[in-house]
Amino acid sequence: MAHPPSAIAEAERQLREYSRNPPGRIRQGLGEFYAIPDTGMPQSEIGDWLIVLADHLKQSIEAGDVPEPSSPQTHWEWHARFPETAQLLGGWFSQDIVDEFPDHDAAVADYAGTTHPHVVARLVGELHELLALPLDEGDYALAAAELGMEVGPPEPFSHGAWFQSLATTLSSI
């Protein structure tokens, strides 16, 4: 999905702010900021690296240069691109599902009943974005695992068909 220029501009602003004023462990521990993934660079060089990233984002906005949509390649990319899908799959479809819910439908109903409608709508959008990617069934299974799902989809669904069914079900709530 191509992000709107406003989202890219906000990312640029956040990178510059983070580089000038990196959060300490307490603010990261409170969940106010995500830890920067290990880049292999010394900590003292991270701020300059963030500025380079911000400059690239700014140039992308100014030039209208947007990369072609592609599938996430790493665990981090899957979570960054589909955060609410990861929340649902990792939170409601872990191995504990059998102890908490009688079936997948009950878990989905619990999610929908305890989650703000705007967040549910965001999840539906993420599911549509996931389904629009050029993925085969093996890729959908990989996506489910990367996003935290520890159980299979309900019978008779494949992962892709269940994602479609999930989007349809949550759209009607």
Side-chain angles (χ1 to χ4, degrees), residues 35-60:
I36 295 176
D38 182 7
T39 62
M41 295 172 22
Q43 189 68 29
S44 61
E45 295 178 15
I46 297 290
D48 292 338
W49 175 71
L50 292 173
I51 293 296
V52 169
L53 291 177
D55 289 344
H56 284 294
L57 290 176
K58 182 178 181 181
Q59 180 182 5
S60 175

Side-chain angles (χ1 to χ4, degrees), residues 137-173:
E137 190 51 42
D139 296 327
Y140 286 126
L142 173 67
E146 288 288 353
L147 294 169
M149 189 170 183
E150 296 178 336
V151 296
E155 293 292 331
F157 293 107
S158 65
H159 285 90
W162 184 64
F163 287 149
Q164 181 62 59
S165 174
L166 189 58
T168 302
T169 298
L170 292 170
S171 292
S172 65
I173 293 176

Side-chain angles (χ1 to χ4, degrees), residues 8 17 38 60 68-70 95 143 151:
I8 297 171
E17 175 62 26
D38 182 7
S60 175
E68 288 295 316
S70 65
Q95 293 176 358
V151 296

Side-chain angles (χ1 to χ4, degrees), residues 59-124:
Q59 180 182 5
S60 175
I61 294 167
E62 291 172 348
D65 185 22
V66 178
E68 288 295 316
S70 65
S71 301
Q73 300 299 306
T74 67
H75 179 78
W76 181 86
E77 288 175 352
W78 282 105
H79 281 258
R81 188 152 173 197
F82 301 104
E84 194 54 36
T85 306
Q87 179 65 30
L88 170 70
L89 297 181
W92 276 262
F93 294 95
S94 68
Q95 293 176 358
D96 296 335
I97 187 175
V98 295
D99 297 328
E100 298 178 30
F101 305 105
D103 56 26
H104 286 62
D105 290 339
V108 171
D110 182 73
Y111 170 84
T114 59
T115 304
H116 193 281
H118 287 105
V119 178
V120 175
R122 186 175 305 126
L123 169 65
V124 170

